[in-house]
Amino acid sequence: MASLEDQVQKAVDARDIPGIILLASDVNGNFKYEKAFGPKTPTEPMGLDATFILASCTKLMTTIAALQCVERGQIGLDDPVSVILPELKEKEIITGFNDDGSLTYRKAKNGITLRHLLSHSSGLGYHTMDPRYHKWRKERGETFFIKGWSIIPRINTPLLFEPGTSWSYGTGLDWAGILVSRLNKMNLEQYMQKYIWSPLGIKSITFHQENHEDVRKNLTKMSIRKGLENPMFGFPVRSEEKVDWTDETLYDIPIADEYGGEGAIGSATEFFKILQSILEDDGKLLTSETIEEMFSPQLSEGGVKALDEYNALPFYQGGGFASVQNGTKVTWGLGGMLFLEDYFTGRKRGTLTWSGMANLQWTIDREAGIGALYAGNVLPFGDFASGDMQIKFETEMYARAVKMSRL
């Protein structure tokens, strides 16, 4: 059977997948893997210094920032955030439709807490993922686009459910980023530079690529899967179509606001330092007690049910990137999806993982002592060929790490 490296090289050469970076290590330093494959741009090869649109991988960093605020006593996990974020006070919940098709609302009974924001249980969803928001925008006479909006008008939406009672992937981490900024009287870039990036020696992650030449010049050019009706934001389809280059950037450049849920651009190898810090529990970012809370179940019974329904979407069950096999017991921690049982790739119960829109995925497995990162920049999210390769990569990393531990 061909090695992982041969399979990846064959796939990138054929443009079945874009150029990628693969990173993994164990907690003891006995095993380390870092390789770059394929092209970064139409004229440049991928190197380990390449930067990526990190998209929702940003959420992990914002979670860490918010938890640092908890450790300082600036706010509690179960404190209402409306003291700092008055925009979230007395929010309305979309409850249904009137006979004329207009939306109906009621006032939320529960206040939104920081825990809700960090676990996607606040009731705040993403506009692009829920048609009720499309209707809400239309009733307001607004036409929504990914770009060209300032942060508050973009994310200040009604709720989809009573805070704490369900789960919906959404803008909670964008709000958490604003909270961190307001609590510390500095923008999120300045905060992360001081309290996350500098302690780990990270120099090539930013929200503002326009101000960081090294990040911008090393940025991996975005690819799209050919043959799709909506290759940017639609659903993926399993096919034999290749990937092609696109000038899509996902973000406004320059950008005024810093989105804690999706806005970072940076080096995959430097982002991996954050995974290693949490895996090793080295005390540079968070205390052991706080890390334990990150890896603890956060959702109500209703939240787990909603997450299971999300994971049961058809493209996920077909093997889309970052998918979870139907019936796998998962919940949400603080920072990512939390596995409640072992998984076929080698992940152990208690693994925390999440992904980014351009088909990146990070994994922190404290039980096995393994961290991993698959970094690509291709749209749409859920790309099947990338999903197949990520599974091969992760499975192989666990096998090699186990082999090294036995030497």
Side-chain angles (χ1 to χ4, degrees):
M1 182 178 176
S3 68
L4 171 70
E5 289 74 20
D6 287 344
Q7 292 180 70
V8 176
Q9 194 63 55
K10 181 180 178 181
V12 296
D13 288 346
R15 293 295 276 164
D16 292 330
I17 61 172
I20 58 175
I21 288 179
L22 303 179
L23 305 169
S25 69
D26 71 358
V27 70
N28 299 314
N30 297 324
F31 171 71
K32 183 176 182 180
Y33 187 92
E34 49 180 23
K35 289 189 180 296
F37 298 88
K40 180 178 73 175
T41 72
T43 60
E44 298 173 281
M46 183 71 75
L48 289 173
D49 61 347
T51 58
F52 294 81
I53 299 293
L54 295 175
S56 287
C57 293
T58 309
K59 289 178 169 67
L60 178 62
M61 296 188 291
T62 303
T63 296
I64 292 168
L67 291 174
Q68 289 175 338
C69 295
V70 172
E71 290 187 347
R72 293 191 202 97
Q74 293 173 293
I75 190 170
L77 268 174
D78 297 308
D79 288 349
V81 296
S82 59
V83 176
I84 309 301
L85 303 171
E87 298 93 340
L88 298 184
K89 188 175 184 179
E90 298 180 351
K91 295 293 286 182
E92 288 189 321
I93 301 171
I94 299 174
T95 56
F97 299 89
N98 290 307
D99 292 340
D100 63 0
S102 61
L103 293 169
T104 59
Y105 305 86
R106 69 168 175 82
K107 288 285 187 183
K109 298 176 183 177
N110 301 336
I112 296 173
T113 68
L114 180 56
R115 190 187 303 274
H116 294 153
L117 293 180
L118 300 184
S119 61
H120 297 290
S121 59
S122 66
L124 293 160
Y126 271 133
H127 170 92
T128 54
M129 297 176 69
D130 196 291
R132 288 172 290 182
Y133 282 147
H134 303 174
K135 179 68 174 174
W136 176 74
R137 293 282 184 195
K138 186 176 180 180
E139 289 183 359
R140 292 161 59 90
E142 298 174 351
T143 302
F144 183 81
F145 297 98
I146 292 292
K147 298 177 186 176
W149 284 69
S150 60
I151 190 167
I152 296 297
R154 179 177 170 184
I155 68 175
N156 195 13
T157 59
L159 306 183
L160 300 175
F161 53 81
E162 191 70 50
T165 65
S166 190
W167 182 92
S168 180
Y169 194 54
T171 60
L173 273 298
D174 295 315
W175 284 108
I178 296 170
L179 179 139
V180 169
S181 177
R182 290 179 182 177
L183 280 174
N184 293 280
K185 296 179 173 58
M186 63 180 77
N187 66 36
L188 195 56
E189 172 106 359
Q190 292 167 333
Y191 181 92
M192 288 193 181
Q193 181 62 51
K194 183 174 182 179
Y195 294 107
I196 297 177
W197 302 333
S198 288
L200 298 181
I202 292 172
K203 298 179 180 179
S204 295
I205 299 179
T206 182
F207 290 92
H208 297 282
Q209 58 177 296
E210 66 273 13
N211 297 332
H212 292 265
E213 177 65 16
D214 60 325
V215 172
R216 187 193 60 76
K217 73 178 183 181
N218 285 320
L219 183 60
T220 302
K221 187 174 176 65
M222 190 65 67
S223 295
I224 57 171
R225 180 67 59 185
K226 294 196 288 187
L228 297 177
E229 183 177 345
N230 184 356
M232 301 297 178
F233 309 111
F235 287 109
V237 175
R238 186 176 285 282
S239 74
E240 299 301 316
E241 294 282 0
K242 306 296 184 179
V243 297
D244 200 1
W245 302 106
T246 177
D247 291 329
E248 175 60 47
T249 60
L250 286 185
Y251 302 155
D252 287 311
I253 305 171
I255 190 165
D257 300 308
E258 293 145 352
Y259 287 82
E262 61 194 73
I265 307 100
S267 161
T269 55
E270 293 207 326
F271 182 82
F272 191 70
K273 293 179 181 180
I274 298 171
L275 307 184
Q276 289 176 303
S277 178
I278 299 301
L279 177 66
E280 295 171 9
D281 191 6
D282 61 12
K284 293 179 180 178
L285 299 180
L286 295 169
T287 66
S288 299
E289 181 181 5
T290 300
I291 291 174
E292 194 65 36
E293 186 64 33
M294 288 179 69
F295 287 77
S296 299
Q298 301 294 322
L299 299 183
S300 65
E301 183 178 341
V304 172
K305 181 175 182 292
L307 178 57
D308 288 343
E309 291 171 353
Y310 174 85
N311 286 329
L313 288 171
F315 84 85
Y316 276 139
Q317 292 314 304
F321 188 86
S323 61
V324 177
Q325 286 189 338
N326 203 17
T328 304
K329 294 180 181 178
V330 295
T331 184
W332 206 262
L334 297 176
M337 186 184 297
L338 183 66
F339 277 66
L340 298 178
E341 61 183 6
D342 294 353
Y343 200 56
F344 76 95
T345 60
R347 293 179 199 168
K348 300 300 183 184
R349 182 180 185 274
T351 295
L352 196 68
T353 181
W354 198 235
S355 52
M357 182 178 177
N359 293 280
L360 307 91
Q361 185 172 21
W362 58 264
T363 302
I364 306 173
D365 183 343
R366 297 193 303 166
E367 178 65 27
I370 293 174
L373 176 65
Y374 179 109
N377 265 181
V378 61
L379 296 171
F381 176 71
D383 184 63
F384 284 98
S386 298
D388 294 343
M389 193 58 72
Q390 190 279 330
I391 288 171
K392 291 178 181 178
F393 159 64
E394 186 170 295
T395 303
E396 181 66 13
M397 292 303 100
Y398 274 95
R400 293 188 188 184
V402 169
K403 185 176 180 180
M404 287 293 295
S405 70
R406 291 172 178 168
L407 294 180

